Amino acid sequence: MIIKNALLFVSLMIFFGISFCQEKKVELKDVVQEFQKNNFERVIELSDRAIKEGAQQPEFYFYLGFSYMKVSKNSEAVNFFRLFLKNAEYTQKNVWMLRQALNNLVSLYRNNKDFNSILDDANFFLEKIKSANLTEQLDVFCKNILVETLKEIGNRRAETRDYAGAIEAYKKILEYKPDDPNIISRIAVYYKNLGQNEVAAKYYLKSAMIWSSWTSKITPLVSIVEIFWETDRLNALLKEAETDSVSYNFLVAADEMKKKMYSEAFSRLRKLEDETGSKGDFSERLLRIVYSKRTDDPWMFYFFILNLPETSGSRWAADMLINLGRNNPEIEKTIKEKMLPAMMKLVEESTSVEVRKLFPKIFEMKFLGTPDSREIIIEKIKTLEQFASKYSEDPIIPDILKSQAILYTDNLLDYQKGKELFGLLIKKYNQKAMTVHLARCLINLGE
């Protein structure tokens, strides 16, 4: 009887021991359930126990890493995410977890400005997905991480004037994005900062030729001209630029302008503007560069106006021409004798409202340096009246009428005529600012 009871007791102990062991065994689904409830402390507890019990699934490391991150234990999170990426199966079914693990690792590293660790883990990840043929799903994702990290490294080095270090970082980006014009242009900037202008120009050109949009091509092309303007090297890049019509013609035009072949340069640029749909942007940007280098040559402005009269840049060019004439009697003479006839003919024969907007500038050039005698004032008024009667619907007519009215009142003291013109500006053109001028006329007329 005693032996029988002892055997029963041992049997019960074995049974409950087995039951106890089975009860304590943690499965992955238990962890997932707690994770879905956001019970992160419980996830950590269960996952840790499962690993100690000999669980082999790498997913336990993933949930540990995620949960430690959620409870702000970042160093532990980093360790377990790395363990997961090291031990995980790189298969289609794990794509979401793999992506999420690397993404979280990157966020944790960024918080500590640990960019080198991002590069190390992302490169490890890239090799793993290549070996597992998962590049279609994860390649772009991983390379974007590498690119953004290298950009940040490069930018930080540039901020400390370590341009060689910045170039090193940006050149590594080209391993992942070999034809990115933004990256190539940035490398050009850093070479320019180092004074390596020849290399900088080559990178600027490469960037310009890759861009498909003409608006994006302008800036790198302008940079090339600025680099080489004081040298005889503009021709050096033409052979390389031949495959890109925009880059080639812009650089040829710049070389022509350097040689003061303004007519040829702006004729070439005009064709380029028409081909690309630009409205004078190429020509104006190049003109402004040349003007900054050569401030006393009126001919560049003249040929710009003749070739691109309908652009807003032509009015700026006319203003520059007028300023040169005011400050230099010889240039004033050249404008009036050699340039003005062609510009007047251009405006008179044009059917374009935009071209006729040049008229006030041409009018100013016509009387440049001429003293305001009564005869000259009357001639000015007559010139303005002829234009106003011929193009009565042009948008610049209010300006023409205002100029007439001021000449009448300020120079001829004809307040009756001033009253009529200022009244017309107020009533027909809603130029309420003219009310003060009208009041002055009324006062002088005793009204």
Side-chain angles (χ1 to χ4, degrees):
M1 188 67 176
I2 294 173
I3 294 173
K4 186 177 181 181
N5 288 338
L7 289 172
L8 179 61
F9 175 77
V10 170
S11 299
L12 288 171
M13 289 298 291
I14 292 171
F15 171 78
F16 285 117
I18 293 171
S19 299
F20 179 72
C21 290
Q22 289 177 338
E23 184 180 64
K24 286 187 64 176
K25 187 175 178 63
V26 178
E27 295 183 17
L28 184 60
K29 65 179 182 179
D30 303 321
V31 171
V32 173
Q33 286 175 357
E34 297 299 326
F35 183 81
Q36 290 172 343
K37 297 174 186 176
N38 294 330
N39 294 334
F40 300 117
E41 294 284 2
R42 181 66 174 157
V43 170
I44 293 170
E45 179 188 337
L46 291 175
S47 298
D48 191 50
R49 192 196 309 168
I51 292 168
K52 288 176 181 177
E53 290 172 353
Q56 298 296 313
Q57 297 102 314
E59 288 83 356
F60 283 112
Y61 298 131
F62 174 83
Y63 289 112
L64 271 170
F66 212 119
S67 299
Y68 273 122
M69 185 177 71
K70 288 294 185 180
V71 298
S72 301
K73 292 185 177 181
N74 292 344
S75 60
E76 290 88 345
V78 166
N79 290 334
F80 282 109
F81 278 132
R82 295 191 78 188
L83 278 170
F84 170 72
L85 292 177
K86 182 179 178 181
N87 293 283
E89 291 183 12
Y90 283 73
T91 59
Q92 183 65 43
K93 70 174 185 177
N94 280 340
V95 163
W96 179 84
M97 273 192 175
L98 292 167
R99 179 193 290 265
Q100 196 67 44
L102 182 60
N103 207 40
N104 289 337
L105 259 180
V106 169
S107 297
L108 293 166
Y109 286 140
R110 281 192 188 282
N111 289 338
N112 295 324
K113 311 298 183 195
D114 186 0
F115 302 113
N116 288 329
S117 290
I118 296 177
L119 295 181
D120 290 342
D121 285 354
N123 277 310
F124 170 82
F125 188 89
L126 191 61
E127 290 303 314
K128 293 287 279 186
I129 63 173
K130 283 180 181 176
S131 300
N133 293 321
L134 281 179
T135 52
E136 186 177 340
Q137 292 84 358
L138 296 171
D139 188 67
V140 173
F141 159 72
C142 186
K143 285 181 178 178
N144 283 340
I145 288 173
L146 287 163
V147 166
E148 291 306 312
T149 304
L150 287 165
K151 277 184 187 178
E152 192 147 6
I153 291 171
N155 295 343
R156 285 171 175 272
R157 288 175 179 173
E159 286 172 6
T160 60
R161 298 180 183 270
D162 177 12
Y163 299 120
I167 289 169
E168 180 187 7
Y170 269 83
K171 279 189 173 180
K172 285 181 181 176
I173 295 175
L174 295 180
E175 296 175 16
Y176 310 110
K177 301 181 79 173
D179 295 320
D180 188 321
N182 281 311
I183 302 304
I184 294 167
S185 186
R186 186 64 68 92
I187 293 171
V189 170
Y190 296 144
Y191 271 119
K192 185 179 178 183
N193 291 342
L194 287 173
Q196 297 184 37
N197 289 340
E198 293 277 347
V199 184
K202 288 182 179 293
Y203 275 96
Y204 275 129
L205 180 59
K206 186 176 180 181
S207 169
M209 293 175 70
I210 291 173
W211 282 115
S212 57
S213 164
W214 66 262
T215 54
S216 300
K217 290 176 182 287
I218 290 180
T219 297
L221 290 172
V222 164
S223 297
I224 294 170
V225 175
E226 288 175 332
I227 286 173
F228 281 153
W229 184 258
E230 303 299 337
T231 74
D232 58 356
R233 298 287 293 154
L234 271 173
N235 268 319
L237 295 176
L238 293 182
K239 186 69 177 175
E240 295 178 43
E242 283 181 348
T243 56
D244 183 60
S245 174
V246 173
S247 300
Y248 178 79
N249 283 296
F250 186 89
L251 293 177
V252 172
D255 192 49
E256 289 170 338
M257 291 196 57
K258 186 172 174 61
K259 297 171 183 173
K260 297 191 176 184
M261 298 166 60
Y262 300 125
S263 178
E264 293 85 346
F266 284 117
S267 177
R268 179 185 299 277
L269 287 168
R270 178 66 208 228
K271 292 177 183 176
L272 182 59
E273 309 282 0
D274 292 340
E275 287 173 10
T276 59
S278 169
K279 296 182 179 180
D281 287 354
F282 282 107
S283 303
E284 186 175 345
R285 287 288 295 274
L286 188 51
L287 176 59
R288 287 178 183 272
I289 294 173
V290 178
Y291 176 59
S292 70
K293 311 292 183 182
R294 189 185 289 161
T295 59
D296 59 351
D297 190 342
W299 289 102
M300 66 178 109
F301 298 113
Y302 170 72
F303 282 108
F304 179 92
I305 294 167
L306 288 190
N307 282 279
L308 295 117
E310 74 284 0
T311 65
S312 58
S314 67
R315 269 96 74 188
W316 169 78
D319 282 333
M320 295 299 101
L321 201 53
I322 291 166
N323 289 337
L324 289 174
R326 283 179 183 151
N327 297 319
N328 188 313
E330 286 301 314
I331 292 178
E332 176 197 313
K333 184 179 178 182
T334 298
I335 291 172
K336 294 172 87 170
E337 292 181 1
K338 297 182 179 180
M339 300 179 181
L340 194 57
M343 289 190 286
M344 289 179 67
K345 183 179 179 183
L346 179 73
V347 172
E348 288 169 0
E349 294 181 355
S350 177
T351 58
S352 168
V353 172
E354 292 301 315
V355 174
R356 289 199 294 272
K357 287 181 180 179
L358 276 169
F359 172 78
K361 311 296 181 184
I362 304 299
F363 173 81
E364 195 170 347
M365 289 182 208
K366 180 180 179 180
F367 296 99
L368 198 60
T370 305
D372 276 341
S373 64
R374 183 175 180 81
E375 290 74 18
I376 293 299
I377 296 301
I378 291 172
E379 186 182 350
K380 284 183 176 181
I381 290 172
K382 184 179 179 182
T383 302
L384 291 170
E385 286 177 342
Q386 286 174 344
F387 183 89
S389 62
K390 188 174 181 180
Y391 306 108
S392 58
E393 300 303 318
D394 271 16
I396 62 167
I397 290 302
D399 293 330
I400 302 298
L401 295 177
K402 180 182 175 182
S403 297
Q404 285 179 246
I406 289 173
L407 287 169
Y408 272 118
T409 56
D410 291 9
N411 295 91
L412 300 181
L413 304 181
D414 186 343
Y415 298 110
Q416 182 59 42
K417 194 66 179 176
K419 170 187 169 182
E420 294 172 12
L421 291 171
F422 286 125
L424 180 62
L425 284 166
I426 294 166
K427 292 177 183 177
K428 183 174 181 179
Y429 298 100
N430 199 31
Q431 300 276 315
K432 294 181 180 179
M434 298 298 105
T435 305
V436 174
H437 296 280
L438 176 59
R440 177 169 166 255
C441 291
L442 294 172
I443 289 169
N444 280 282
L445 289 169
E447 300 179 22

